[in-house]
C-alpha cells in the first residue's frame, strides 16, 4: 500500500465526518476497500454513520410527534394520538396510561386509559394497586424505563402480580414501562406492550427516556386541562341547579301569594262582619263562620308547611333521624286517627293485618308520608267508601300501600303526579283544597329512605298508592 492510497481515503473519511456533523446523511462516500487497517476505520465510520442517521431520524420523528401531540388539549385526545403516531418509533399492540393518586393508605397507581389491537382489554381504566413495594416504585426510584421481553417468564417469577397476569391473559408477551416525571415529581406511567416476545430486545433506552421526558409534560398538561374542563362542567351544572332553585323560589312565592290571598280575604271579611257594631247574628251562623275560618287557617298553615318542606328538600337540607320503627302498631295508630277524621265523610279507614317487622326510618317523616297518602285517599274517595292500608314483607323490603275507591288516575295525570304543584283533573269529593305539593314531598322522603313510590290505578276503579322501605332484622330494643 502506497502513502498516496492512504492519503486518498483519509480525506474522504474526514469529509464524511464533516457531513455527519452537519446532519447530512445523503450521498456519503466511505471507501472500505481494499481491506486493510485503514478500511477497518471506514467500516466503523460507516456503521457510525448508520447509527447516527437512525438516531437523527428517530429524534426528528419524535419532534414531529411531540409537536402534533402538544397541539391537543384534552387528555383522551392526546392519548388517542399517541396510539396512532408512536408506531413510527416503537413496536406495540397495546398502550396503557396510569396516574399516581394519593390516598389515606398511601399512594396508588390507577389505570386511567388503555387501548389495544387485541379483542379483550382485561387491565382497563379504573384498575388500581398500591405503589409501595411494587416494581413500579422501583422504576420511579431509578427514573429509567423498564423492559420485560418475556412476560410469561416474569409471571412465573412473580405469580402474585395481578396486573401482569391480566395483560398476559390478554395476549401480551413483552412490555416497555416509561415513568412520567414532571418537575421532579412522579405523576404516572406510560405502558407500551407487544404480542411478540423480545419486541424490545434491540431497543434504545435513550430514545425511551426522551419519549418519557416529553410525554410527561404533554400528558400532565392534558390531564390538568381535562380536570379544568370537568370542573367547569360541574360548575355549569351547579349553576343550572341554582337557576332551577331560583325559578322554584319564584314559583313558591307565586303559589303562596295566589293560594293565600283568597283564604286571608275570606277570614278578613268574616272578622269585619263579626266585629260590626250592633251585629246580631244567630249562634249557628257565627259558629259556621268560625268553623270556616278554622278550615281556612288550617289550609294556610298546611300550605306554608308544604312550602317550607319542599324548599328544605330541594336545598339538600333534609336530614333523616332514623330509628327502628315497629310497623304494625305504628301504622295502626296513624290509620285509627285518620279513621276518626274520615267519619265526617262516612268513609272508613281500615288496616289489613300487618306481620311483625321493623324498618329503619325517620318516624316523623314516615308519618308525613302516610298522612299524605291516607288523607289524599279520603279526600278523593266517595262517601260511604273504604280506604285500605296494608303492609307486606317482600324479600328485603316492606311494601306499604293505601287503596281507595275513588275515581282513579288517568294517563295524563300520571305523567306529572309526583311533581311539585301537580293538580289532578279529579276533584276532591268533599271540596277539600290541595297545595299540589304533598305527593312531591312524599316521593322525596321515600327516596331519601332508599325506597320507591308509585301508583297502580285505572280510571273508574280507584287507586293504590304504594311505597317501599328497606327491611332490617327485628330488634327488641330502641323500638318507638
Amino acid at each position: 500500500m502506497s502513502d498516496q492510497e492512504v492519503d486518498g481515503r483519509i480525506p474522504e473519511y474526514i469529509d464524511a465526518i464533516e457531513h455527519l456533523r452537519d446532519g447530512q446523511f445523503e450521498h456519503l462516500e466511505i471507501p472500505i476497500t481494499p481491506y486493510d487497517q485503514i478500511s477497518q476505520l471506514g467500516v466503523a465510520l460507516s456503521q457510525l454513520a448508520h447509527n447516527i442517521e437512525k438516531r437523527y431520524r428517530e429524534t426528528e420523528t419524535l419532534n414531529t410527534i411531540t409537536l402534533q401531540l402538544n397541539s391537543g388539549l384534552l387528555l383522551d385526545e392526546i392519548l388517542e394520538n399517541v396510539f396512532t403516531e408512536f408506531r413510527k418509533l416503537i413496536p406495540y399492540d397495546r398502550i396503557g396510561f396510569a396516574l399516581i393518586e394519593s390516598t389515606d393508605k398511601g399512594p396508588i397507581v390507577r389505570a386511567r386509559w388503555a387501548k389495544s389491537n387485541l379483542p379483550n382489554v382485561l387491565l382497563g381504566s379504573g384498575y388500581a394497586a398500591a405503589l409501595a413495594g411494587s416494581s413500579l416504585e422501583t422504576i420511579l426510584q431509578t427514573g429509567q424505563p423498564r423492559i420485560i421481553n418475556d412476560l410469561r417468564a416474569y409471571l412465573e417469577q412473580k405469580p402474585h402480580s395481578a396486573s401482569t397476569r391480566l395483560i398476559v391473559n390478554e395476549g401480551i408477551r413483552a412490555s416497555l414501562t416509561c415513568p412520567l416525571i414532571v418537575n421532579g415529581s412522579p405523576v404516572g406511567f406510560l405502558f407500551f406492550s407487544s404480542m411478540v416476545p423480545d419486541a424490545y430486545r434491540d431497543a434504545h433506552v435513550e430514545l425511551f427516556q426522551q419519549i418519557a421526558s416529553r410525554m410527561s409534560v404533554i400528558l400532565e398538561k392534558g390531564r390538568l386541562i381535562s380536570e379544568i374542563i370537568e370542573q367547569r362542567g360541574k360548575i355549569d351544572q351547579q349553576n343550572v341547579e341554582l337557576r332551577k332553585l331560583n325559578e322554584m323560589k319564584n314559583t313558591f312565592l307565586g303559589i303562596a301569594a295566589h293560594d293565600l290571598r283568597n283564604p286571608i280575604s275570606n277570614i278578613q271579611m268574616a272578622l269585619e262582619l263579626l266585629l260590626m257594631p250592633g251585629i246580631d247574628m244567630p249562634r249557628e251562623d257565627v259558629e259556621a263562620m268560625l268553623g270556616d275560618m278554622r278550615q281556612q287557617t288550617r289550609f294556610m298553615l298546611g300550605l306554608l308547611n308544604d312550602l317550607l318542606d319542599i324548599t328544605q328538600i330541594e336545598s339538600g337540607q333534609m336530614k333523616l333521624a332514623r330509628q327502628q320503627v315497629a310497623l304494625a302498631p305504628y301504622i295502626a295508630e296513624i290509620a285509627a286517627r285518620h279513621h276518626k277524621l274520615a267519619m265526617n265523610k262516612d268513609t272508613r279507614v281500615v288496616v289489613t293485618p300487618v306481620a311483625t317487622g321493623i324498618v329503619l326510618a325517620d318516624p316523623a317523616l314516615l308519618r308525613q308520608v302516610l298522612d299524605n297518602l291516607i288523607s289524599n285517599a279520603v279526600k278523593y274517595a266517595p262517601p260511604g267508601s273504604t280506604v285500605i292500608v296494608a303492609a307486606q314483607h317482600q324479600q328485603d323490603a316492606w311494601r306499604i300501600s293505601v287503596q281507595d275507591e275513588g275515581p282513579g288516575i288517568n294517563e295524563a295525570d300520571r305523567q306529572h303526579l309526583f311533581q311539585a304543584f301537580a293538580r289532578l283533573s279529579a276533584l276532591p269529593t268533599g271540596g277539600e283544597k290541595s297545595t299540589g305539593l304533598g305527593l312531591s314531598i312524599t316521593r322525596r322522603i321515600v327516596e331519601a329512605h332508599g325506597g320507591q313510590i308509585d301508583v297502580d290505578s285505572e280510571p273508574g276503579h280507584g287507586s293504590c298508592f304504594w311505597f317501599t322501605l328497606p327491611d332490617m332484622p327485628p330488634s327488641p330494643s330502641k323500638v318507638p
Side-chain angles (χ1 to χ4, degrees):
M1 178 186 305
S2 66
D3 292 341
Q4 186 175 4
E5 289 176 323
V6 172
D7 292 340
R9 285 181 291 178
I10 293 298
E12 292 186 67
Y13 293 165
I14 294 173
D15 184 65
I17 292 172
E18 289 177 346
H19 278 76
L20 290 176
R21 180 195 61 196
D22 297 334
Q24 299 175 11
F25 305 104
E26 303 294 335
H27 310 300
L28 285 180
E29 295 183 3
I30 304 176
I32 58 175
T33 58
Y35 187 76
D36 54 19
Q37 287 185 334
I38 298 297
S39 66
Q40 291 179 17
L41 176 61
V43 170
L45 183 59
S46 179
Q47 292 174 344
L48 176 62
H50 173 75
N51 290 336
I52 291 176
E53 181 179 8
K54 182 180 179 182
R55 298 290 179 86
Y56 179 84
R57 300 302 181 198
E58 288 176 344
T59 302
E60 191 176 53
T61 301
L62 180 57
N63 288 337
T64 302
I65 294 173
T66 301
L67 184 62
Q68 180 178 350
L69 294 179
N70 206 29
S71 65
L73 290 179
L74 300 182
L75 180 58
D76 287 348
E77 177 187 29
I78 293 172
L79 290 167
E80 289 290 337
N81 289 334
V82 168
F83 190 81
T84 302
E85 298 298 330
F86 269 93
R87 294 188 188 282
K88 302 169 185 176
L89 295 175
I90 306 174
Y92 55 82
D93 297 293
R94 182 191 197 279
I95 296 181
F97 171 63
L99 288 170
I100 299 173
E101 298 179 3
S102 298
T103 69
D104 295 338
K105 297 182 180 180
I108 63 171
V109 179
R110 185 182 302 278
R112 168 64 175 76
W113 177 91
K115 189 167 184 178
S116 174
N117 294 325
L118 301 171
N120 295 320
V121 176
L122 302 178
L123 182 59
S125 177
Y127 179 88
L131 178 62
S134 69
S135 60
L136 294 179
E137 185 180 39
T138 304
I139 294 174
L140 291 180
Q141 292 170 350
T142 63
Q144 300 294 317
R146 180 191 67 180
I147 294 174
I148 301 177
N149 277 303
D150 190 345
L151 279 170
R152 285 191 291 190
Y154 180 82
L155 183 60
E156 290 179 0
Q157 297 173 3
K158 297 191 175 183
H160 300 297
S161 176
S163 58
T164 303
R165 185 173 301 280
L166 287 173
I167 60 172
V168 167
N169 289 340
E170 286 183 21
I172 297 300
R173 297 296 176 261
S175 72
L176 162 66
T177 302
C178 295
L180 302 176
I181 300 174
V182 179
N183 296 327
S185 299
V187 296
F189 299 90
L190 198 60
F191 306 93
F192 296 91
S193 308
S194 174
M195 298 169 57
V196 180
D198 294 328
Y200 308 106
R201 177 72 64 185
D202 300 323
H204 298 291
V205 175
E206 295 85 355
L207 174 63
F208 300 147
Q209 288 175 324
Q210 290 188 55
I211 290 173
S213 176
R214 300 189 187 193
M215 290 308 301
S216 296
V217 177
I218 295 173
L219 291 173
E220 180 68 1
K221 179 206 72 173
R223 183 184 70 83
L224 292 174
I225 292 177
S226 296
E227 286 185 357
I228 290 172
I229 292 177
E230 182 181 355
Q231 291 299 323
R232 180 178 177 180
K234 291 180 179 178
I235 291 173
D236 289 342
Q237 182 61 36
Q238 289 176 349
N239 288 335
V240 170
E241 295 299 325
L242 288 173
R243 284 194 294 269
K244 287 183 179 179
L245 288 174
N246 188 59
E247 291 173 359
M248 181 166 288
K249 177 203 70 175
N250 293 334
T251 303
F252 287 171
L253 293 175
I255 291 290
H258 179 271
D259 285 4
L260 291 176
R261 178 182 298 168
N262 286 339
I264 290 176
S265 297
N266 292 337
I267 293 173
Q268 184 179 20
M269 290 174 58
L271 287 173
E272 289 177 352
L273 180 61
L274 291 173
L275 293 173
M276 286 181 62
I279 188 71
D280 185 13
M281 295 179 61
R283 180 176 179 80
E284 57 270 19
D285 291 345
V286 173
E287 291 178 351
M289 293 179 68
L290 292 175
D292 182 64
M293 283 191 287
R294 181 174 60 184
Q295 287 184 338
Q296 300 283 4
T297 54
R298 284 177 176 172
F299 168 75
M300 289 189 294
L301 182 60
L303 173 60
L304 292 174
N305 286 334
D306 285 348
L307 287 172
L308 291 173
D309 286 344
I310 198 70
T311 302
Q312 185 181 56
I313 292 171
E314 290 295 340
S315 62
Q317 296 178 357
M318 182 179 67
K319 305 297 182 183
L320 299 183
R322 295 180 187 267
Q323 298 180 27
Q324 295 183 34
V325 178
L327 277 180
Y330 184 82
I331 292 176
E333 184 272 327
I334 294 175
R337 177 165 51 84
H338 280 276
H339 177 71
K340 294 178 180 178
L341 297 174
M343 291 176 62
N344 292 330
K345 292 184 63 174
D346 193 24
T347 300
R348 297 192 308 148
V349 177
V350 300
V351 180
T352 61
V354 178
T356 301
I358 296 175
V359 294
L360 192 63
D362 185 313
L365 293 178
L366 181 57
R367 180 182 298 273
Q368 190 172 351
V369 170
L370 286 169
D371 282 344
N372 186 273
L373 295 182
I374 297 174
S375 63
N376 275 355
V378 173
K379 185 185 300 182
Y380 290 95
S385 62
T386 301
V387 172
I388 301 175
V389 183
Q392 297 90 27
H393 187 254
Q394 299 180 337
Q395 295 182 344
D396 57 351
W398 282 86
R399 184 182 189 272
I400 303 171
S401 62
V402 178
Q403 173 78 52
D404 65 51
E405 299 175 0
I409 301 171
N410 59 42
E411 189 60 32
D413 286 339
R414 285 182 66 102
Q415 298 298 322
H416 57 273
L417 187 62
F418 293 99
Q419 298 175 5
F421 308 112
R423 302 294 176 93
L424 303 182
S425 56
L427 297 177
T429 54
E432 299 94 335
K433 294 184 179 181
S434 173
T435 65
L437 291 171
L439 288 178
S440 177
I441 295 171
T442 297
R443 175 178 65 84
R444 286 164 170 80
I445 293 175
V446 170
E447 290 176 351
H449 280 82
Q452 296 178 316
I453 186 169
D454 207 344
V455 61
D456 299 326
S457 180
E458 289 185 26
H461 294 83
S463 302
C464 180
F465 281 84
W466 57 268
F467 65 96
T468 61
L469 290 174
D471 189 17
M472 69 169 295
S475 173
S477 62
K478 298 183 180 179
V479 178

